[in-house]
Amino acid sequence: MKTYLLYPNGDQEKMIADFLEANNISFFEDDDAGEQLPQHVIDGIKRGQEDGKAGRTITLEEFRKKHLSNR
């Protein structure tokens, strides 16, 4: 059995629920799904976004040289 995570906007929610019900596909709604990330992960995402906005970035090639050269 597979699990699918969907992030519909308000207009899409009813359509998805109707589709799943019409096709007898079991599902449940979890309104707290977006709140399951640990705080340190959320903080890291924010820092990364701030770094990008401030221009503190490197190219993919620079990343490979720095982090994958030991392999």
Side-chain angles (χ1 to χ4, degrees):
M1 175 166 39
K2 291 186 179 184
T3 300
Y4 296 90
L5 299 176
L6 305 170
Y7 300 98
N9 64 33
D11 295 336
Q12 297 167 331
E13 289 180 24
K14 182 174 179 350
M15 177 195 64
I16 291 171
D18 290 345
F19 172 82
L20 295 172
E21 289 172 358
N23 289 284
N24 294 320
I25 299 171
S26 63
F27 70 98
F28 71 93
E29 297 176 33
D30 185 0
D31 292 334
D32 296 329
E35 299 177 19
Q36 294 179 355
L37 293 175
Q39 188 60 45
H40 71 278
V41 173
I42 294 170
D43 294 342
I45 292 169
K46 288 179 184 176
R47 278 193 311 274
Q49 290 172 332
E50 290 168 3
D51 285 345
K53 288 178 184 175
R56 294 185 296 266
T57 62
I58 61 172
T59 65
L60 179 57
E61 190 57 36
E62 290 171 322
F63 177 85
R64 286 180 177 150
K65 287 178 183 177
K66 182 177 182 179
H67 296 286
L68 302 177
S69 62
N70 295 335
R71 293 182 181 190

